[in-house]
Amino acid sequence: MTAARGTRSNLAALSLIIAAAVGLLTAVVTITVASPLSSANQQSRQLTTNNEDEPPNPIEEQSLIAMQFTANPYAGRDKIEMIKSGEAKLASLRLTPDSLSEGNNGRVYGTFCVFDDQLNKKDPAVYPTVDHMVKTSDHCNENRYTLPLDEVVEAVTSHDSGSIRSDRLKKLPLSGMLFHQGFSGAGLIANALTTFDNTVVISEHSAIRDALNACDYIHNRFKSKGCSASKHQKLVEDVISLLSRSSDSNIEHMFLKLDSASSAYIPLLTEIYPDAKWTFDYRKAEHVLAKSTEPKRSTCVLKKRQPSSVMASQASEHNVDLEELTTHEVCALHLSTLVNVASKEHDSTGTGMLISYEDDLLKEDALIDTILPYLGLQKEIDANPSMARARVEDVLSTKTNLRGIHSQDVDSQWSQEDVHVSREVRAASQLFMQSMM
């Protein structure tokens, strides 16, 4: 009897211990799964706990994706009106397989957003391209508008021709175009141009790049040959026309600094804008190839799959298959193509200025005495020669591309660099760049 009572006592005590342990485990499970970062398995376990009396967590009920974005400050505003007023600006293009096909089926789409396109006037080295300015805008990063480009152009044209003068944006003439191989000094010229109060430089805008190579892109990407030459030219004109609108009454000159690959389309642009001055910057063959094939810079290798039509023709002339070329060889062929296009246009039309990085641009006073006057700024230089010279000298002493870096720990002073030429670079340049050597 005594033994039985002892056994029952022991069992009761053991039951209490087990119950306490189970309760503790339940609490741990509940606490663990309450975290919004819990796994799906833990969340399913929480469903077995008794928490009907707990209030719902509002954070868990919101979309995690939506929580990553800021509210659109322009929600409810008319998108076309924002574009007509100049508040929202063209940021990029979207092309489809039939965007430029014959007939009326295809459309090109533009993406628009609000950003400060004058940041390069304040610090051209930190904001060397339009994309660097676009990236500073939360609206561009999270709330872009995508609209049919033809509808936007029609609305803007109607607004600018019919609105009263005070509401109309100024349309700037295209004063000059800066073409280059890459890493050959065009950034110095662009940054020098921005120092004048009455100029604006649109630098490497992706919409201009995508408009220029639209037919080649559609052919390479979608294996389509349906690209109307007249539609292609109108697309380029429409994009540049949208970008030429300015609310700043002081601006008189607009310059385009194109990305290096756009030099393949010099003839198209000079045909559309015969009065615009243009320059082409090039560099010693081995040096420009070495710079272009550095890690994180070797964008020219993409031309293996996305060549311009003129590069494809050049490959045929050399009787080579792009797919079989090395990275250095593809880049060498691409760079030589750009020089050939610029040289041919210069020789056949008598227009343009070919600028050697080593022999011309780095010469003392070449920018202020030769290049900027050629681009139409002699009057501005003569108005205040000492100030113009001081500003240009400051540009020449600063690295042209800090890519959004404001840190004081970064050395922004430019200095002559030693370019390492590898055996691969030397061999590829000798193969395809003999005319530049």
Side-chain angles (χ1 to χ4, degrees):
M1 200 61 187
T2 303
R5 285 198 193 100
T7 300
R8 285 197 294 269
S9 251
N10 290 339
L11 288 174
L14 182 58
S15 299
L16 290 173
I17 292 171
I18 292 172
V22 171
L24 180 59
L25 179 60
T26 303
V28 170
V29 170
T30 304
I31 292 170
T32 301
V33 299
S35 167
L37 299 178
S38 301
S39 67
N41 182 51
Q42 289 173 318
Q43 290 175 358
S44 66
R45 288 169 61 191
Q46 185 179 8
L47 295 177
T48 65
T49 63
N50 184 15
N51 59 358
E52 291 93 352
D53 296 332
E54 295 182 8
N57 188 338
I59 295 179
E60 292 179 347
E61 293 183 349
Q62 297 180 30
S63 166
L64 291 178
I65 295 177
M67 289 168 60
Q68 298 177 48
F69 296 92
T70 57
N72 183 0
Y74 306 97
R77 296 275 301 278
D78 187 291
K79 300 177 179 64
I80 293 292
E81 289 300 323
M82 290 177 66
I83 297 170
K84 289 194 295 188
S85 69
E87 190 174 9
K89 304 173 181 68
L90 179 64
S92 61
L93 295 182
R94 281 179 51 197
L95 298 168
T96 64
D98 58 352
S99 284
L100 297 177
S101 61
E102 297 287 355
N104 299 316
N105 296 328
R107 301 191 98 169
V108 177
Y109 294 87
T111 64
F112 298 82
C113 56
V114 178
F115 66 96
D116 185 353
D117 61 354
Q118 295 291 303
L119 288 174
N120 64 334
K121 292 288 286 184
K122 304 168 187 175
D123 201 334
V126 173
Y127 303 102
T129 71
V130 171
D131 282 349
H132 286 93
M133 293 182 268
V134 168
K135 288 176 181 177
T136 66
S137 165
D138 288 340
H139 187 251
C140 291
N141 293 332
E142 301 174 4
N143 297 291
R144 295 190 188 196
Y145 308 135
T146 299
L147 301 167
L149 193 70
D150 57 337
E151 293 183 5
V152 173
V153 170
E154 182 180 358
V156 166
T157 301
S158 176
H159 172 269
D160 289 350
S161 61
S163 60
I164 59 176
R165 185 172 296 274
S166 60
D167 295 334
R168 195 182 309 164
L169 295 186
K170 183 177 182 178
K171 189 170 183 179
L172 300 171
L174 180 55
S175 298
M177 300 176 285
L178 310 181
F179 300 100
H180 56 102
Q181 278 187 306
F183 313 105
S184 52
L188 290 172
I189 301 175
N191 291 357
L193 288 169
T194 63
T195 65
F196 293 87
D197 295 334
N198 64 344
T199 65
V200 63
V201 179
I202 300 174
S203 185
E204 302 190 19
H205 200 302
S206 63
I208 299 178
R209 176 200 66 206
D210 293 343
L212 287 171
N213 71 13
C215 284
D216 287 332
Y217 172 79
I218 290 172
H219 172 69
N220 292 321
R221 176 69 176 80
F222 303 113
K223 308 304 178 186
S224 170
K225 295 183 179 180
C227 191
S228 164
S230 59
K231 283 189 172 184
H232 185 203
Q233 179 170 320
K234 186 176 186 305
L235 173 61
V236 174
E237 292 174 348
D238 286 345
V239 167
I240 294 177
S241 178
L242 286 175
L243 298 176
S244 71
R245 303 171 74 238
S246 174
S247 59
D248 190 339
S249 60
N250 295 321
I251 302 296
E252 298 177 7
H253 302 283
M254 179 179 74
F255 296 93
L256 302 181
K257 175 181 178 280
L258 291 302
D259 70 296
S260 60
S262 291
S263 297
Y265 308 98
I266 291 176
L268 173 60
L269 281 169
T270 55
E271 180 182 353
I272 300 174
Y273 305 100
D275 297 328
K277 301 291 185 180
W278 64 273
T279 63
F280 178 80
D281 287 49
Y282 63 97
R283 190 170 182 169
K284 185 177 178 180
E286 292 180 345
H287 287 186
V288 71
L289 181 57
K291 297 287 290 183
S292 299
T293 52
E294 288 178 356
K296 297 184 179 181
R297 284 182 168 179
S298 187
T299 58
C300 54
V301 72
L302 300 176
K303 295 303 172 182
K304 177 179 285 192
R305 300 289 178 86
Q306 294 281 341
S308 63
S309 57
V310 67
M311 181 180 171
S313 297
Q314 195 109 324
S316 296
E317 290 178 13
H318 285 279
N319 196 28
V320 296
D321 183 349
L322 291 176
E323 290 292 338
E324 296 179 357
L325 298 182
T326 67
T327 295
H328 291 86
E329 290 169 346
V330 169
C331 290
L333 181 60
H334 166 67
L335 294 170
S336 67
T337 298
L338 303 183
V339 173
N340 291 341
V341 170
S343 299
K344 184 178 179 180
E345 184 70 14
H346 175 70
D347 294 342
S348 63
T349 65
T351 63
M353 176 183 283
L354 306 184
I355 302 172
S356 165
Y357 178 76
E358 293 88 359
D359 299 331
D360 300 322
L361 191 56
L362 295 186
K363 281 185 178 179
E364 186 176 1
D365 298 331
L367 256 177
I368 199 75
D369 291 341
T370 305
I371 299 172
L372 295 180
Y374 166 75
L375 290 170
L377 295 179
Q378 186 65 63
K379 182 180 71 172
E380 287 77 6
I381 295 171
D382 292 341
N384 196 331
S386 58
M387 179 178 291
R389 193 172 297 274
R391 289 177 174 178
V392 169
E393 288 176 355
D394 184 58
V395 165
L396 289 173
S397 67
T398 306
K399 292 178 181 178
T400 59
N401 189 346
L402 296 178
R403 296 183 179 275
I405 300 174
H406 293 274
S407 174
Q408 296 181 357
D409 297 331
V410 176
D411 182 10
S412 63
Q413 293 303 110
W414 181 87
S415 60
Q416 190 80 25
E417 60 182 332
D418 293 325
V419 180
H420 172 68
V421 177
S422 66
R423 286 181 299 176
E424 293 83 0
V425 166
R426 185 168 287 110
S429 60
Q430 290 174 349
L431 184 61
F432 292 118
M433 305 173 76
Q434 279 287 351
S435 60
M436 296 172 53
M437 301 178 71

